[in-house]
């Protein structure tokens, strides 16, 4: 019931919030998100990391005559992503304190609805329930971007909608086909779909039908063109939800719903996907280096990081897979913190143009420290959270193919170049008339960034507690995907 509670708490609150008006809605949303976090933290204290069977499971008939059950549960991978979701959501809500949004009740209701849908995606044990939550997660971010986004929000959200619907249709076709291949009266339970035996030719097209949906969501090259503009035009809380949590849906989908189901298809196309991922790493990094828009630079850096995660997953090695899972958590923490720093600076300067910045550190010592730690985490400095994931990812890709590993390793150099260049351009140098009166961060802004910085060091210094949580589930997925 704990898993179901984690879906119902924000879902029910999101339905009630539109009936409440005024600024109190943000406080209610924050309290609900904290309650959700408390349930998740209680769940981790009761969680057994050595068990691969889904824990805290629920199972209710939905369309019983068709073998469709509303069911869910958590193994180590799901637990980690639920923690990511429940830790980041209250911080994202808190980041909006001190600012007013029109129709605030709808704004916060959509954030909580998205949290419920994301938890549903990460815990579903039924193909159609997974698809239901997958689609449900798209609706809030569409409206958040379309209503509270920038000047180009309509065109950008339309592009985002077309991309995601296109991918979802492919996934639906594949899931229906897999459902029809289950024996007897058919079942959409993930355990039954794992047992479906397909020939290699069929696995090949099922692979692409599922992969396109997941690749768009991550995104990886060449399915990424919706991402930079959507990240830039969306209100920052929506950008934080998108980059910090939602893009993990794609990687999670590959791990849970692609590798174990079509192992022969994965074997046929893994090299192609790794090459696409490496192209994305290089391309995203080069574009990031050239960016003058702070949010767009972070968007392309996120694109490059996701490419490395995808390459690690498709290396089909324990190091690569563990690295991808840990990096999902680390990237979520870092990118949410960095986008919030960008929002803080934009609020004070009324611009995201790095050329108009400089010398900010002279008036903002606290912001400088938080910004620097998050930036160093993103460039994978040892003892920070990014180092563990990137080291494992590069080891996994190198184990798959030495040349691919060497080329993917350029991400370390490129990442350092664009992040240090950004930090130098924003924080150092001479002050100008835009930056000379900039003020340091407030107590509320510190309250958002401080937990993220703690997590940066916690993951970097003691990664074993996170790796131990996910290792049994990762090994099981690899056994299903490789037969070893």
């Amino acid at each position: 019931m704990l898993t179901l509670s984690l879906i119902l708490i924000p879902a029910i609150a999101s339905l009630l919030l539109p009936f409440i008006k005024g600024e109190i809605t943000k406080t209610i949303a924050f309290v609900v998100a904290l309650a959700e976090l408390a349930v998740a933290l209680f769940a981790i204290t009761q969680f057994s990391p050595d068990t691969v069977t889904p824990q805290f499971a629920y199972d209710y008939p939905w369309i019983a005559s068709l073998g469709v059950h509303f069911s869910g549960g958590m193994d180590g991978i799901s637990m980690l992503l639920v923690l990511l979701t429940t830790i980041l959501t209250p911080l994202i809500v808190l980041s909006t304190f001190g600012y007013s949004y029109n129709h605030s009740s709808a704004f916060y209701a959509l954030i909580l609805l998205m949290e419920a849908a994301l938890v549903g995606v990460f815990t579903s044990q039924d193909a159609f329930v997974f698809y239901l939550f997958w689609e449900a997660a798209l609706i809030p971010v569409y409206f958040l971007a379309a209503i509270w986004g920038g000047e180009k929000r309509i065109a950008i959200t339309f592009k985002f909608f077309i991309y995601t619907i296109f991918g979802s249709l492919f996934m639906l076709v594949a899931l229906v086909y897999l459902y029809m291949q289950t024996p007897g009266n058919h079942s959409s339970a993930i355990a039954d779909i794992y047992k479906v035996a397909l020939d290699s030719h069929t696995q090949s097209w099922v692979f692409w039908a599922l992969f396109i949906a997941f690749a768009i969501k991550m995104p990886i090259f060449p399915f990424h063109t919706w991402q930079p503009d959507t990240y830039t035009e969306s209100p920052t809380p929506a950008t934080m939800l998108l980059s910090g949590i939602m893009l993990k849906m794609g990687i999670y989908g590959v791990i849970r719903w692609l590798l174990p189901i079509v192992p022969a298809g994965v074997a046929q196309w893994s090299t192609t996907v790794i090459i696409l991922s490496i192209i994305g790493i290089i391309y995203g990094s080069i574009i990031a280096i050239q960016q003058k828009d702070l949010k767009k630079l972070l968007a392309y850096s996120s694109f490059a990081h996701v490419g490395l995660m995808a390459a690690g997953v498709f290396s089909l090695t324990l190091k690569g897979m563990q690295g991808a899972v840990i990096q999902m958590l680390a990237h979520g923490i870092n990118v949410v913190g960095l986008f919030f720093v960008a929002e803080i600076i934009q609020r004070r300067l009324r611009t995201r143009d790095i050329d108009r910045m400089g010398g900010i550190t002279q008036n903002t010592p606290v912001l400088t420290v938080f910004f620097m730690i998050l930036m160093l985490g993103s460039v994978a400095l040892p003892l920070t959270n990014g180092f563990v994931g990137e080291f494992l990812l590069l080891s996994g890709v190198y184990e798959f193919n030495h040349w691919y590993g060497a080329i993917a390793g350029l991400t370390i150099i490129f990442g350092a170049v664009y992040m240090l260049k950004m930090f130098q351009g924003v924080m150092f140098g001479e002050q100008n008339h835009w930056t000379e009166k900039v003020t340091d961060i407030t107590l509320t802004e510190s309250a958002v960034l401080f937990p993220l910085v703690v997590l940066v060091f916690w993951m970097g210094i003691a990664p074993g507690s996170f790796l131990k949580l996910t290792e049994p589930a990762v090994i099981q997925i690899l056994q299903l995907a490789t037969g070893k």
Side-chain angles (χ1 to χ4, degrees), residues 123-157:
T123 60
S124 294
Q125 295 294 316
D126 183 283
F128 293 117
V129 175
F130 172 75
Y131 184 79
L132 171 74
F133 283 121
W134 180 277
E135 292 299 291
L138 303 179
I139 297 170
V141 76
Y142 173 81
F143 285 107
L144 285 168
I147 298 173
W148 291 277
E151 293 179 357
K152 300 177 183 176
R153 62 187 183 278
I154 301 301
I156 297 303
T157 50

Side-chain angles (χ1 to χ4, degrees), residues 292-316:
K292 299 297 183 185
D293 185 305
L294 192 52
K295 279 184 81 174
K296 195 163 280 190
L297 186 155
L298 294 174
Y300 277 106
S301 76
S302 180
F303 171 49
H305 279 105
V306 169
L308 183 57
M309 289 184 238
V313 169
F314 279 93
S315 71
L316 298 178

Side-chain angles (χ1 to χ4, degrees), residues 110-270:
L110 289 169
I111 290 178
L112 292 179
L113 180 61
M114 191 165 178
E115 182 179 29
L118 288 166
V119 172
V121 166
F122 297 139
T123 60
S124 294
Q125 295 294 316
D126 183 283
F128 293 117
V129 175
F130 172 75
Y131 184 79
L132 171 74
F133 283 121
W134 180 277
E135 292 299 291
L138 303 179
I139 297 170
V141 76
Y142 173 81
F143 285 107
L144 285 168
I147 298 173
W148 291 277
E151 293 179 357
K152 300 177 183 176
R153 62 187 183 278
I154 301 301
I156 297 303
T157 50
F158 180 73
K159 185 177 182 181
F160 169 72
F161 182 78
I162 294 298
Y163 258 91
T164 51
I165 286 296
F166 179 77
S168 296
L169 288 175
F170 274 90
M171 180 165 67
L172 181 61
V173 170
L175 292 179
V176 170
Y177 178 80
L178 290 166
Y179 165 80
M180 295 303 295
Q181 302 311 306
T182 56
N185 294 325
H186 303 306
S187 165
S188 55
I190 190 170
D192 293 322
I193 287 182
Y194 279 3
K195 297 174 185 173
V196 171
L198 304 174
D199 61 65
S200 60
H201 174 74
T202 305
Q203 286 198 33
S204 183
W205 77 257
V206 173
F207 169 89
W208 281 106
L210 291 171
F211 176 73
I212 287 173
F214 300 142
I216 289 172
K217 193 61 81 261
M218 286 189 249
I220 66 170
F221 182 87
F223 305 98
H224 67 284
T225 58
W226 64 270
Q227 187 228 30
D229 290 334
T230 306
Y231 279 22
T232 306
E233 290 296 319
S234 297
T236 298
T239 306
M240 293 157 80
L241 282 166
L242 268 167
S243 59
I245 313 172
M246 192 172 174
L247 70 79
K248 289 20 177 225
M249 287 168 52
I251 300 168
Y252 176 81
V254 168
I255 293 172
R256 180 76 69 200
W257 293 93
L258 183 66
L259 302 186
I261 293 173
V262 286
V266 173
Q268 290 178 62
W269 296 107
S270 59

Side-chain angles (χ1 to χ4, degrees), residues 220-222 224-225 228 276-291 300-301 303-304 414 418:
I220 66 170
F221 182 87
H224 67 284
T225 58
L276 291 176
S277 302
I278 292 173
I279 291 172
I281 293 169
I282 306 299
Y283 173 75
S285 298
I286 291 173
I287 299 294
I289 291 171
Q290 298 171 339
Q291 287 302 313
Y300 277 106
S301 76
F303 171 49
F414 285 136
Y418 61 69

Side-chain angles (χ1 to χ4, degrees), residues 221-423:
F221 182 87
F223 305 98
H224 67 284
T225 58
W226 64 270
Q227 187 228 30
D229 290 334
T230 306
Y231 279 22
T232 306
E233 290 296 319
S234 297
T236 298
T239 306
M240 293 157 80
L241 282 166
L242 268 167
S243 59
I245 313 172
M246 192 172 174
L247 70 79
K248 289 20 177 225
M249 287 168 52
I251 300 168
Y252 176 81
V254 168
I255 293 172
R256 180 76 69 200
W257 293 93
L258 183 66
L259 302 186
I261 293 173
V262 286
V266 173
Q268 290 178 62
W269 296 107
S270 59
T271 301
T272 302
V273 174
I274 289 176
I275 291 171
L276 291 176
S277 302
I278 292 173
I279 291 172
I281 293 169
I282 306 299
Y283 173 75
S285 298
I286 291 173
I287 299 294
I289 291 171
Q290 298 171 339
Q291 287 302 313
K292 299 297 183 185
D293 185 305
L294 192 52
K295 279 184 81 174
K296 195 163 280 190
L297 186 155
L298 294 174
Y300 277 106
S301 76
S302 180
F303 171 49
H305 279 105
V306 169
L308 183 57
M309 289 184 238
V313 169
F314 279 93
S315 71
L316 298 178
T317 62
L318 179 59
K319 290 178 182 174
M321 189 84 78
Q322 276 282 67
V325 174
I326 293 300
Q327 192 67 352
M328 280 196 278
L329 181 62
H331 176 264
I333 293 165
N334 294 335
V335 78
V336 163
L338 288 170
F339 270 118
F340 185 53
V341 168
E343 173 73 1
I344 290 170
I345 293 171
Q346 184 184 349
R347 285 171 180 173
R348 284 157 173 73
L349 304 184
R350 306 292 182 188
T351 181
R352 298 194 303 264
D353 189 347
I354 296 174
D355 285 343
R356 294 187 176 186
M357 301 176 189
I360 293 177
T361 188
Q362 296 177 37
N363 295 345
T364 61
V366 181
L367 174 63
T368 301
V369 171
F370 283 139
F371 190 6
M372 184 178 64
I373 293 171
L374 291 164
M375 182 270 295
L376 293 176
S378 183
V379 301
L381 189 78
L383 299 182
T384 65
N385 57 351
F387 175 76
V388 181
E390 285 208 6
F391 177 78
L392 289 170
L393 284 166
L394 291 174
S395 298
V397 178
Y398 186 81
E399 194 175 315
F400 177 83
N401 181 292
H402 293 184
W403 284 107
Y404 294 163
I407 298 171
L410 293 174
T411 187
I412 296 175
I413 299 170
F414 285 136
V417 170
Y418 61 69
M419 278 295 172
L420 292 173
K421 184 182 176 187
M422 172 193 70
F423 190 77

Side-chain angles (χ1 to χ4, degrees), residues 87-96 111 237-238 240-241 245 336 448:
I87 289 172
L88 293 184
T89 303
L91 296 178
I92 291 170
V93 174
L94 185 61
S95 74
T96 67
I111 290 178
M240 293 157 80
L241 282 166
I245 313 172
V336 163
V448 175

